[in-house]
């Protein structure tokens, strides 16, 4: 599987209104030891809590196919839409689907509120920058209202050109953008931005990055527009660009020729950039203005252009370094998540000596051959960070694992509040009919355990389980003895069967190894 499979999965998620952090998804995907297999895609989706299932379906069972799904077609994942009468693959009608697919499909479990993004403010910095530029332009128009129409045209097209040049740069370097998938990739419109940006069918495009040229062009234009506006000599700016814009015409024709005759797909982003320059070219040569002639202010043009070039070159170097760091991280992730290497590392870790689990909080299948033991503390910050991963493991593998929880507690400490919290949580485990309430209570406690947090709601919700401390303390003494006899000195700590989880691994990586551990037995 290649980049096509990645694009198909992203398009499939977008079609189903499931939003994820695409950069993080790609990182998790390429860091998977089995990338680019179907398992890698499935596990990466599970990382984002997106439930997904793969099935093998024979051609004589095709009537049970869902309306939309991902399928392996010629070794690549593709988005398939099944209306019953027709089949489309990646948006294109095909009559050969059932002779080309590999009888394997992947579907996701949809929910109404699935949204997986790092932040809703991913573009906040850009939005505020645009707002600041708009106010600056308005100031310049009030500062000098001559040639107002020409100023408005250049300001609007320059800003639009900059925004789309930046998105073109991001697409060229494999980053997500705000441009809808249906605009940049449409069989109806014959558009495919990714294909245009990343195709290397011309050797010239191995050396020239048109997105960088466009970004430099519009950045320097905006900077020069502002500098010349502040000295009230925009006429010189228009005079330079009146002829300078002709230099962009060969680049525009080169891009159009490449799209129409070489890749035979169109790029709406490129079209907007070319249209912006053409509008400026027409406006500068048809709208009359009185030039004030060349003077010392022409130096500002060189300052603005060279300054923009230096800033963008520095930006390019930082982007290349960030890409190298990301590639290094991907290689490290892939190496670290290799199960055989993990298994060898696990065999070198210490083993616990006290195998008495009678005092543990037990979940899952008590008769299971495999055990997962979690040592935690209600006041441990790192436990709070790992706890969501632990809950996910309890939910997914409760039929196949016996899961033990121990509190790391020192009952000899003269700390009544600490003891009370441990006793209350233990009573919740003892007295609740559904032991899952204990897991929920511990999760809720992690959310409110800070000194400044209001804990009254938590106490009110679970106070019905609070009672005598005698039974709870007896159980906690068992926890204290187990933790001490096994030499556990930090939390969270994890034991897989009787072996301590390697400290060199991120605790969150545990979810990548449990499936393989279970598959061995």
């Amino acid at each position: 599987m290649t980049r096509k499979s990645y694009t198909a999965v992203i398009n499939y998620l977008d079609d189903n209104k499931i939003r994820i952090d695409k950069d993080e998804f790609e990182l998790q995907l390429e860091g998977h030891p089995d990338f680019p297999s179907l398992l890698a895609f499935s596990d990466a989706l599970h990382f984002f809590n997106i439930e997904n299932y793969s099935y093998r379906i024979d051609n004589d069972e095709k009537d049970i196919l869902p309306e939309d799904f991902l399928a392996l077609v010629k070794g690549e994942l593709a988005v398939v839409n099944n209306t019953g009468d027709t089949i489309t693959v990646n948006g294109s009608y095909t009559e050969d689907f059932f002779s080309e697919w590999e009888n394997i499909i992947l579907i996701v479990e949809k929910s109404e509120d699935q949204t997986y993004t790092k932040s809703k403010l991913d573009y906040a910095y850009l939005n505020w920058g645009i707002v600041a530029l708009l106010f600056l332009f308005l100031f310049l128009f009030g500062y000098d209202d001559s040639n107002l129409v020409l100023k408005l045209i250049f300001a609007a097209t320059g800003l639009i050109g900059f925004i789309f040049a930046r998105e073109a740069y991001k697409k060229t370097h494999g980053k997500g953008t705000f441009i809808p998938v249906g605009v940049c990739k449409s069989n109806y419109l014959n558009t495919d931005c990714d294909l245009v940006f990343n195709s290397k069918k011309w050797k010239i495009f191995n050396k020239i990055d048109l997105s960088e040229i466009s970004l430099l062009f519009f950045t320097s234009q905006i900077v020069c527009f502002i500098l010349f506006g502040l000295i009230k000599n925009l006429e010189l700016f228009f005079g330079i660009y009146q002829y300078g814009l002709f230099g962009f015409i060969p680049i525009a024709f080169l891009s159009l020729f490449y799209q129409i005759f070489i890749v035979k797909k169109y790029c709406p982003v490129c079209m907007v950039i070319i249209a912006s320059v053409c509008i400026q070219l027409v406006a500068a040569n048809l709208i009359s203005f009185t030039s004030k002639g060349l003077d010392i202010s022409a130096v500002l043009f060189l300052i603005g252009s060279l300054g923009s070039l230096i800033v963008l070159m520095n930006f390019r170097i930082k982007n290349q370094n960030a890409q190298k760091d990301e590639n290094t991280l991907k290689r490290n992730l892939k190496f670290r998540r290799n199960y055989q290497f993990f298994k060898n590392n696990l065999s070198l870790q210490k083993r616990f000596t006290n195998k008495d689990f009678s005092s543990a909080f037990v979940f899952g299948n008590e008769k299971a051959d495999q055990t997962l033991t979690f040592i935690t503390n209600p006041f441990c910050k790192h436990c709070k960070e790992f706890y969501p991963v632990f809950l996910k493991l309890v939910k997914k593998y409760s039929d196949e694992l016996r899961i033990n929880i121990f509190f790391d507690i020192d009952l000899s400490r003269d700390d009544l509040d600490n003891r009370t919290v441990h006793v209350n949580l233990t009573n919740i485990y003892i007295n609740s009919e559904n032991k899952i309430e204990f897991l929920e209570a511990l999760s809720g406690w992690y959310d409110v355990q800070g000194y400044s947090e209001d804990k009254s709601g938590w106490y009110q919700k679970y106070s019905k389980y609070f009672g005598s401390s005698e039974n709870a303390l007896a159980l906690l003494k068992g926890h204290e003895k187990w933790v001490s006899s096994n030499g556990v000195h930090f939390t969270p700590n994890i034991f897989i069967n009787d072996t301590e989880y390697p400290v060199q691994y991120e605790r969150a990586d545990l979810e990548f190894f449990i499936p393989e551990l279970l598959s061995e037995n």
Side-chain angles (χ1 to χ4, degrees):
M1 296 184 201
T2 63
R3 189 80 183 175
K4 291 181 180 178
S5 294
Y6 168 81
T7 302
V9 173
I10 293 299
N11 290 344
Y12 176 65
L13 294 177
D14 285 341
D15 290 343
N16 287 283
K17 296 181 173 56
I18 299 175
R19 307 287 178 244
I20 64 171
D21 183 335
K22 296 177 183 177
D23 293 339
E24 180 66 20
F25 178 70
E26 185 174 5
L27 182 68
Q28 294 297 330
L29 185 64
E30 296 189 13
H32 195 285
D34 292 323
F35 177 78
S37 68
L38 180 65
L39 176 63
F41 283 90
S42 178
D43 285 349
L45 290 171
H46 278 303
F47 178 84
F48 287 90
N49 294 327
I50 302 175
E51 293 295 333
N52 63 93
Y53 309 93
S54 58
Y55 302 97
R56 177 175 291 278
I57 296 179
D58 295 329
N59 280 357
D60 56 6
E61 299 174 312
K62 60 186 180 182
D63 291 340
I64 68 173
L65 287 172
E67 290 185 4
D68 60 291
F69 54 93
L70 289 162
L72 274 177
V73 181
K74 295 182 178 179
E76 299 285 351
L77 282 171
V79 181
V80 181
N81 296 105
N82 172 30
T83 63
D85 298 325
T86 59
I87 295 282
T88 60
V89 178
N90 290 332
S92 300
Y93 170 73
T94 178
E95 295 180 349
D96 303 319
F97 172 71
F98 292 109
S99 63
E100 295 176 345
W101 77 317
E102 299 177 27
N103 299 97
I104 294 176
I105 70 170
L106 180 71
I107 59 175
V108 300
E109 184 178 290
K110 306 163 191 174
S111 64
E112 296 179 358
D113 58 347
Q114 280 181 313
T115 301
Y116 308 93
T117 57
K118 268 186 184 175
S119 169
K120 294 180 180 179
L121 302 177
D122 282 346
Y123 288 91
Y125 67 95
L126 178 62
N127 295 336
W128 283 111
I130 293 172
V131 171
L133 278 176
L134 288 174
F135 275 107
L136 186 55
F137 288 152
L138 289 173
F139 167 76
L140 291 176
F141 298 156
Y143 184 59
D144 178 12
D145 60 359
S146 60
N147 301 303
L148 189 58
V149 174
L150 200 52
K151 287 180 183 178
L152 286 171
I153 292 174
F154 264 82
T157 53
L159 196 56
I160 292 171
F162 170 79
I163 292 171
F164 279 85
R166 185 178 178 279
E167 296 308 301
Y169 182 87
K170 289 171 67 177
K171 273 196 167 292
T172 302
H173 293 83
K175 303 297 182 182
T177 76
F178 68 81
I179 302 169
V181 175
V183 173
C184 255
K185 184 177 176 61
S186 169
N187 288 300
Y188 178 75
L189 299 174
N190 196 33
T191 60
D192 193 332
C193 294
D194 289 328
L195 181 63
V196 173
F197 286 129
N198 299 313
S199 177
K200 300 298 180 184
K201 292 187 177 181
W202 265 5
K203 290 184 178 180
I204 187 174
F205 285 101
N206 292 326
K207 303 294 183 182
I208 297 176
D209 188 337
L210 293 182
S211 68
E212 288 188 349
I213 294 175
S214 300
L215 191 57
L216 174 61
F217 177 82
F218 287 108
T219 301
S220 60
Q221 183 184 110
I222 291 173
V223 172
C224 290
F225 185 94
I226 293 171
L227 291 176
F228 279 85
L230 291 173
I231 63 169
K232 293 187 177 182
N233 195 6
L234 275 172
E235 288 75 16
L236 180 57
F237 171 84
F238 295 138
I240 294 172
Y241 273 90
Q242 184 178 26
Y243 303 103
L245 287 166
F246 283 106
F248 198 88
I249 292 178
I251 297 175
F253 274 110
L254 181 68
S255 176
L256 288 173
F257 185 85
Y258 181 70
Q259 293 176 59
I260 297 171
F261 298 104
I262 306 301
V263 297
K264 299 178 181 178
K265 290 284 186 179
Y266 299 101
C267 170
V269 176
C270 303
M271 296 300 184
V272 171
I273 293 172
I274 293 171
S276 297
V277 174
C278 290
I279 291 171
Q280 290 181 348
L281 179 64
V282 172
N285 286 275
L286 293 184
I287 299 176
S288 61
F289 59 90
T290 304
S291 177
K292 297 181 181 179
L294 293 171
D295 56 21
I296 193 64
S297 61
V299 177
L300 289 177
F301 181 80
L302 294 176
I303 293 174
S305 299
L306 291 176
S308 299
L309 178 61
I310 292 171
V311 170
L312 288 176
M313 287 299 293
N314 183 57
F315 177 73
R316 182 182 187 184
I317 292 171
K318 287 185 176 180
N319 186 69
Q320 289 174 341
N321 291 336
Q323 189 65 43
K324 288 180 181 178
D325 291 341
E326 186 175 316
N327 290 337
T328 300
L329 178 59
K330 288 176 181 177
R331 289 194 297 270
N332 290 342
L333 280 173
K334 194 167 187 175
F335 177 72
R336 195 174 76 229
R337 292 176 181 173
N338 181 282
Y339 178 69
Q340 192 58 48
F341 180 74
F342 169 78
K343 185 179 176 182
N344 294 339
N345 203 334
L346 183 67
S347 67
L348 301 176
Q349 307 307 309
K350 77 173 185 179
R351 298 174 182 270
F352 56 62
T353 56
N354 185 346
K355 299 181 181 181
D356 180 11
F357 294 118
S358 60
S359 63
F361 303 146
V362 181
F363 299 88
N365 183 357
E366 295 187 30
K367 297 180 180 180
D369 295 330
Q370 305 280 358
T371 62
L372 178 67
T373 303
F374 176 46
I375 301 92
T376 186
N377 186 312
F379 297 93
C380 167
K381 178 181 177 183
H382 295 295
C383 297
K384 175 183 178 180
E385 293 172 353
F386 170 70
Y387 195 67
V389 177
F390 174 74
L391 287 180
K392 189 192 301 184
L393 295 176
V394 174
K395 178 182 178 182
K396 289 180 66 174
Y397 304 110
S398 59
D399 292 337
E400 302 164 89
L401 281 174
R402 174 191 170 110
I403 300 167
N404 308 303
I405 297 179
F406 285 99
F407 279 150
D408 180 15
I409 183 173
D410 181 1
L411 292 171
S412 65
R413 281 181 57 187
D414 186 19
D415 188 337
L416 182 59
D417 288 340
N418 182 286
R419 177 181 294 210
T420 300
V421 170
H422 281 87
V423 168
N424 286 339
L425 284 167
T426 304
N427 271 326
I428 294 172
Y429 175 80
I430 294 172
N431 297 321
S432 59
E433 292 184 11
N434 184 354
K435 300 306 179 187
I436 297 299
E437 285 200 63
F438 167 82
L439 297 176
E440 295 172 351
L442 183 56
S443 178
W445 176 257
Y446 280 134
D447 292 335
V448 301
Q449 56 88 20
Y451 289 107
S452 60
E453 301 294 337
D454 181 9
K455 306 176 183 63
S456 59
W458 186 88
Y459 278 103
Q460 184 177 358
K461 181 176 181 180
Y462 295 104
S463 60
K464 61 184 177 181
Y465 298 119
F466 301 163
S468 170
S469 62
E470 185 176 338
N471 291 336
L473 284 172
L475 208 58
L476 288 171
K477 285 177 182 178
H479 285 219
E480 183 181 38
K481 179 181 178 181
W482 191 95
V483 170
S484 176
S485 60
N486 285 306
V488 176
H489 303 297
F490 63 89
T491 55
N493 204 339
I494 304 162
F495 283 83
I496 299 176
N497 294 323
D498 61 347
T499 308
E500 187 175 35
Y501 186 76
V503 69
Q504 298 91 342
Y505 283 83
E506 294 289 338
R507 296 173 187 87
D509 288 341
L510 177 62
E511 64 176 304
F512 292 97
F513 303 127
I514 292 296
E516 302 224 35
L517 174 75
L518 294 173
S519 67
E520 289 186 336
N521 296 276

